[in-house]
Amino acid sequence: MSRHPIKTVAVPFMVLLLLTACQTDSRNQVLQTSESQVALRSMQSRAFDTTDKAKTLRTIIATLQDLGFVIDKADATLGTVSGTKLNGYAMRMTVSVRDRGTPQTIVRANAQYNITAIEDPQPYQQFFAALEKAMFLTAQQVD
């Protein structure tokens, strides 16, 4: 039983052709991903002139509640707060607080619809605008 010589050559050639067609330039993908990740991180982060992590976490909780979120979890040790907003959709926002090393604190918010990260700047802008006002009022000791 002998194999047809064209099949012997054609099958490996077709497999190689298919593999070559599926190849993409991974370097371009990495560069595009890192640029979009940096842009997303800049939308998600703000620095505040305070070192009081507990007060910042309390202000974040109050701000999320003012925006209609229900607080799911808050951990002062880790410096994280998670909340879910149910307004015809389910948006989950997790906010983390960390020291910057200078007299500043970094607040980073991460919003998701289901398991998909939100890349639209609007929810982040709305959250940080409310948080900046609340942080100012807290610093001025206005209730």
Side-chain angles (χ1 to χ4, degrees), residues 21-71:
C22 295
Q23 180 183 10
T24 59
D25 187 5
S26 62
R27 192 173 84 193
N28 284 340
Q29 286 181 329
V30 169
L31 291 175
Q32 289 173 352
T33 300
S34 63
E35 285 178 19
S36 65
Q37 291 300 317
V38 171
L40 181 62
R41 187 180 315 153
S42 71
M43 284 189 307
Q44 295 175 329
S45 302
R46 296 286 188 281
F48 292 94
D49 292 332
T50 181
T51 56
D52 192 340
K53 191 174 178 179
K55 188 183 287 185
T56 303
L57 284 170
R58 287 193 304 269
T59 306
I60 289 169
I61 290 170
T63 301
L64 286 173
Q65 289 175 329
D66 289 346
L67 294 174
F69 285 86
V70 175
I71 303 302

Side-chain angles (χ1 to χ4, degrees), residues 52-62 64 70-84 92-99 105-110 127:
D52 192 340
K53 191 174 178 179
K55 188 183 287 185
T56 303
L57 284 170
R58 287 193 304 269
T59 306
I60 289 169
I61 290 170
L64 286 173
V70 175
I71 303 302
D72 300 323
K73 186 176 181 182
D75 190 326
T77 305
L78 295 176
T80 60
V81 178
S82 296
T84 303
R92 182 176 172 90
M93 185 173 283
T94 300
V95 183
S96 61
V97 177
R98 66 178 172 88
D99 295 330
T105 299
I106 300 293
V107 176
R108 184 170 179 184
N110 184 358
F127 170 72

Side-chain angles (χ1 to χ4, degrees), residues 87-143:
N87 190 15
Y89 55 88
M91 181 170 74
R92 182 176 172 90
M93 185 173 283
T94 300
V95 183
S96 61
V97 177
R98 66 178 172 88
D99 295 330
R100 190 176 202 182
T102 59
Q104 287 188 330
T105 299
I106 300 293
V107 176
R108 184 170 179 184
N110 184 358
Q112 298 177 324
Y113 287 119
N114 296 322
I115 59 169
T116 305
I118 296 174
E119 297 182 1
D120 179 24
Q122 194 267 338
Y124 301 109
Q125 291 169 348
Q126 182 183 16
F127 170 72
F128 282 115
L131 182 62
E132 288 169 358
K133 291 176 186 172
M135 293 288 283
F136 174 77
L137 294 175
T138 301
Q140 302 301 317
Q141 297 179 346
V142 177
D143 288 327

